[in-house]
Amino acid sequence: MTSPLILRGLSKSYGGTRVVDGLDLELQAGRCHGLLGPNGAGKTTTLRLALGLIGADAGTVDLLGYPMPAQAALARRKVGVVPQIDSLDPDFTVRENLLTYGRYFGMKGREIEARIPYLLEFSGLAGKADAPINNLSGGMKRRLTLARALVNDPDLIFLDEPTTGLDPQARHLIWQGLRRLIGQGKTLLLTTHFMDEAERLCDVISVLDQGRVIVRGSPRELIQQHIEPHVVEIYGDGLTEWKACASNFCKRCETAGETLFCYTEAPDKVVEELESQPGLRYLHRPANLEDVFLKLTGRDLRD
Ligand code: ADP
């Protein structure tokens, strides 16, 4: 199957700084792709380039067979976009928002009306068709933004941090919707800061830093290839003293705030040592995508 989005050697600079730097990306149809990276890594700029909202300094973008940005208007009719910040019209009801948005795509009123019951059911907003936007909770607004992105029944959907700012219940509802879309064979390109979200939903993840893809693979591959399999998180009284000799039990340790992270192939040795330290508390768990992300991009704050 042809790829719905192909980026080749894509570069973009702002004020002399390359924020996207020779990026290559090819999405597989019917899969969920994650674009992860610290703040400023170039994720949103990549999405904007892919959608033809801005032009690249170098490289090419092929979106659904259309070169970007030359044929952006044609290509964008066939994709769905969930932007980082909701842009629903507060003066309109739920139904009116869907109608207005559908008209941007050249859809007829009747056509959109016919799709509204499905969109409301999909987003868990059945019964809310006539509710004003301001009466919706944050989670409902986010779900409506997702429903709105589906008004034209796109096969490719861009999602820029779809669950940022939502409570766990609302996030689970969005995940359910996204899994349903993946099950229907849609292609998703998702940026997120939630590693558990990426781990649950994505078939393939590209980790970006300074505008480049630094690693790519399935969540499982990334965990197997880039991190020790076990992590022991340690905190409490006496940590400083224990840390001084931690290298005897654990090859690689990192400190974040008041917690020491021991990454190891042999957690039993670490745990055995900790048993004789009554002041210390610990959590032994399998390594996850967040551990990989922090190892590859560092623990320093990026603002
Ligand atoms: P991310 O989405 O990974 O946080 P962005 O793509 O938003 O990263 O931004 C990458 C870098 O490009 C940041 O340093 C940001 O300040 C800069 N940048 C993005 N858009 C513009 C713009 N329109 N003008 C100037 N700088 C920009």
Side-chain angles (χ1 to χ4, degrees), residues 14-15 19-20 37-46 84 160-161 193 208:
Y14 285 117
V19 301
V20 175
N39 283 332
K43 303 179 295 295
T44 301
T45 306
T46 302
Q84 217 173 83
D160 197 359
E161 299 189 23
H193 284 300
L208 248 71

Side-chain angles (χ1 to χ4, degrees), residues 7 10 20 23 35 42-51 208:
L7 311 181
L10 207 59
V20 175
L23 192 110
L35 213 50
K43 303 179 295 295
T44 301
T45 306
T46 302
L47 294 190
R48 291 172 63 77
L49 287 164
L51 284 164
L208 248 71

Side-chain angles (χ1 to χ4, degrees), residues 226-258:
H226 295 281
I227 198 93
E228 297 80 354
H230 297 272
V231 187
V232 188
E233 292 184 24
I234 310 158
Y235 53 97
D237 295 337
L239 185 62
T240 314
E241 295 75 17
W242 197 83
K243 208 161 105 178
C245 57
S247 59
N248 293 332
F249 326 113
C250 176
K251 262 193 285 176
R252 199 169 67 82
C253 290
E254 281 182 21
T255 308
E258 296 178 331

Side-chain angles (χ1 to χ4, degrees), residues 142-220:
R142 215 60 198 131
R143 280 174 359 240
L144 177 57
T145 299
L146 176 59
R148 197 183 66 165
L150 305 178
V151 75
N152 54 334
D153 197 17
D155 287 328
L156 170 61
I157 303 146
F158 289 71
L159 301 124
D160 197 359
E161 299 189 23
T163 65
T164 294
L166 297 186
D167 64 26
Q169 289 87 341
R171 290 175 71 205
H172 277 278
L173 277 177
I174 296 269
W175 289 346
Q176 205 177 3
L178 297 185
R179 262 196 298 269
R180 202 167 144 191
L181 292 174
I182 298 163
Q184 290 168 7
K186 308 281 187 192
T187 309
L188 268 49
L189 180 58
L190 167 80
T191 79
T192 180
H193 284 300
F194 298 114
M195 298 299 135
D196 55 337
E197 179 165 295
E199 207 168 323
R200 276 161 191 265
L201 296 173
C202 296
D203 300 293
V204 186
I205 287 171
S206 299
V207 179
L208 248 71
D209 203 4
Q210 298 181 341
R212 294 167 186 236
V213 175
I214 53 171
V215 293
R216 179 171 291 152
S218 70
R220 184 179 288 214

Side-chain angles (χ1 to χ4, degrees), residues 263-282:
Y263 294 97
T264 178
E265 317 246 322
D268 294 353
K269 261 166 101 179
V270 182
V271 168
E272 200 180 300
E273 276 304 316
L274 287 165
E275 294 287 317
S276 59
Q277 302 285 332
L280 289 178
R281 301 177 68 184
Y282 68 88

